[in-house]
């Protein structure tokens, strides 16, 4: 079975969907639509993963807007939002990390130019647009510009891609592990964990999902996640979601949180890889 991949066109975020040659055989072909021999087939599970994560983020913000405007939100909507909170951004960043290797095939100059144009410029532009809405007083707060805005994930992605460029000779699994160690060590260095406020700790926290996606890309491109991993992963994810809903917050247990959420994302990938290309799911792709 070949493990070579190609890429297809992408959204403005600068990402591409992986695709594998249609001449490959085996379980991996169950994850893609059929194509004429010799033509690449798009890995639609990646589109579904990203689209689902985006829809979950939108639903979360709709809930917040409703609370601001109406002063209340249906109980079921609140509980569902809290239950899914630990998985939204990790899934989105994992999907982006899957594409790191493809991006790094470009010369460093083109690589950085693309990330400046596709990530850093939109981050700066839309942060500036939101500044008068959220309050001019934030203008002189560097940490607010970095991650106090709704656009923080664009700045985070830019940082991850630059780190990926600088560490391109190192397997991304080691970078993912380093982020777990660094986030775990923050309290020992006098910095309390805070994934909500305008502080850079969440950049360290979420790095594990981006680089885990980069590390797992070759495996996921070859074959679906085995059921022996998918089913237990989804069971753990359900338990973690119930815990998050019960405490009305994202659990922040060093090491355990990142491992559980990463396992949950991999479990979801295992399901998405096996879904047939239903017409109802095309809009999510």
């Amino acid at each position: 079975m070949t493990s070579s991949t190609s890429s297809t066109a992408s959204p403005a975020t600068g990402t591409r969907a992986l695709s594998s040659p249609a001449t490959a055989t085996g379980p991996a072909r169950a994850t893609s639509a059929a194509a004429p021999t010799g033509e690449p087939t798009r890995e639609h599970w990646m589109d579904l993963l990203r689209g689902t994560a985006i829809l979950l983020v939108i639903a979360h913000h709709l809930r917040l807007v409703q609370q601001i405007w109406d002063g209340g939100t249906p109980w079921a909507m609140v509980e569902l939002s809290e239950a899914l909170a630990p998985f939204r951004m990790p899934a989105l960043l994992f999907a982006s990390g899957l594409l790191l290797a493809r991006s790094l095939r470009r010369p460093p100059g083109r690589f950085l130019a693309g990330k400046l144009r596709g990530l850093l410029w939109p981050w700066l532009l839309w942060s500036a647009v939101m500044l008068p809405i959220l309050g001019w007083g934030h203008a002189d707060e560097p940490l607010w510009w970095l991650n106090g805005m709704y656009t923080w994930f664009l700045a985070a992605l830019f940082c991850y891609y630059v780190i990926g460029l600088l560490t391109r000779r190192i397997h991304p699994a080691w970078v993912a592990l380093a982020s777990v160690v660094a986030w775990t060590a923050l309290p020992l260095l006098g910095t309390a964990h805070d994934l909500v406020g305008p502080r850079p700790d969440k950049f360290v926290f979420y790095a594990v999902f981006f680089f885990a996606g980069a590390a797992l890309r070759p495996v996921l491109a070859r074959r679906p996640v085995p059921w022996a991993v998918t089913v237990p992963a989804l069971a753990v994810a359900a338990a973690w979601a119930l815990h998050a809903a019960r405490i009305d917050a994202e659990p922040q247990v060093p090491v355990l949180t990142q491992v559980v959420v990463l396992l949950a994302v991999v479990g979801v990938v295992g399901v998405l890889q096996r879904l047939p290309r239903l017409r109802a799911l095309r809009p999510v792709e």
Side-chain angles (χ1 to χ4, degrees), residues 121-151:
W121 168 241
W123 162 73
L124 181 61
L125 173 65
W126 290 105
S127 296
V129 168
M130 292 298 295
L131 179 60
I133 299 174
L134 299 179
W136 290 102
H138 296 294
D140 58 354
E141 299 177 23
L143 286 180
W144 181 88
W145 284 94
L146 182 64
N147 73 337
M149 251 300 301
Y150 296 113
T151 53

Side-chain angles (χ1 to χ4, degrees), residues 184-262:
T184 302
L186 284 176
L188 303 177
L189 302 175
T191 302
H193 292 148
D194 181 9
L195 301 183
V196 180
R199 290 167 47 174
D201 354 341
K202 64 184 178 185
F203 278 46
V204 180
F205 174 84
Y206 286 114
V208 64
F209 306 107
F210 180 87
F211 290 103
L216 292 173
R217 180 200 65 81
V219 178
L220 297 176
R222 286 195 297 268
R223 61 181 63 86
V225 179
W227 281 117
V229 175
T230 299
V231 174
L234 293 178
V236 170
W240 200 252
L242 289 173
H243 177 55
R246 185 179 63 83
I247 66 175
D248 292 326
E250 295 186 45
Q252 297 182 34
V253 184
V255 181
L256 182 62
T257 295
Q258 289 162 307
V259 170
V260 167
V261 174
L262 177 58

Side-chain angles (χ1 to χ4, degrees), residues 45-242:
W45 64 266
M46 292 183 62
D47 298 322
L48 282 174
L49 178 64
R50 182 167 28 185
T52 301
I54 290 172
L55 289 176
L56 292 179
V57 172
I58 292 172
H60 169 66
H61 286 284
L62 284 174
R63 166 223 166 170
L64 295 179
V65 168
Q66 186 174 19
Q67 284 181 319
I68 294 171
W69 286 354
D70 300 338
T73 305
W75 175 84
M77 188 175 183
V78 173
E79 292 301 310
L80 185 61
S81 180
E82 294 294 348
L84 296 174
F87 313 110
R88 286 187 293 257
M89 294 312 300
L92 198 56
L93 293 170
F94 184 90
S96 296
L98 289 166
L99 310 167
L100 176 62
R102 183 205 54 80
S103 294
L104 289 175
R105 296 193 191 111
R106 299 171 182 162
R110 285 185 56 198
F111 174 89
L112 288 174
K115 301 314 172 190
L116 285 168
R117 182 176 60 253
L119 294 172
L120 207 61
W121 168 241
W123 162 73
L124 181 61
L125 173 65
W126 290 105
S127 296
V129 168
M130 292 298 295
L131 179 60
I133 299 174
L134 299 179
W136 290 102
H138 296 294
D140 58 354
E141 299 177 23
L143 286 180
W144 181 88
W145 284 94
L146 182 64
N147 73 337
M149 251 300 301
Y150 296 113
T151 53
W152 68 267
F153 73 96
L154 292 174
L157 275 175
F158 179 78
C159 292
Y160 300 155
Y161 275 113
V162 171
I163 293 172
L165 176 64
L166 296 176
T167 61
R168 61 190 180 279
R169 308 272 180 208
I170 302 173
H171 196 283
W174 290 110
V175 184
L177 181 61
S179 72
V180 176
V181 173
W183 192 71
T184 302
L186 284 176
L188 303 177
L189 302 175
T191 302
H193 292 148
D194 181 9
L195 301 183
V196 180
R199 290 167 47 174
D201 354 341
K202 64 184 178 185
F203 278 46
V204 180
F205 174 84
Y206 286 114
V208 64
F209 306 107
F210 180 87
F211 290 103
L216 292 173
R217 180 200 65 81
V219 178
L220 297 176
R222 286 195 297 268
R223 61 181 63 86
V225 179
W227 281 117
V229 175
T230 299
V231 174
L234 293 178
V236 170
W240 200 252
L242 289 173

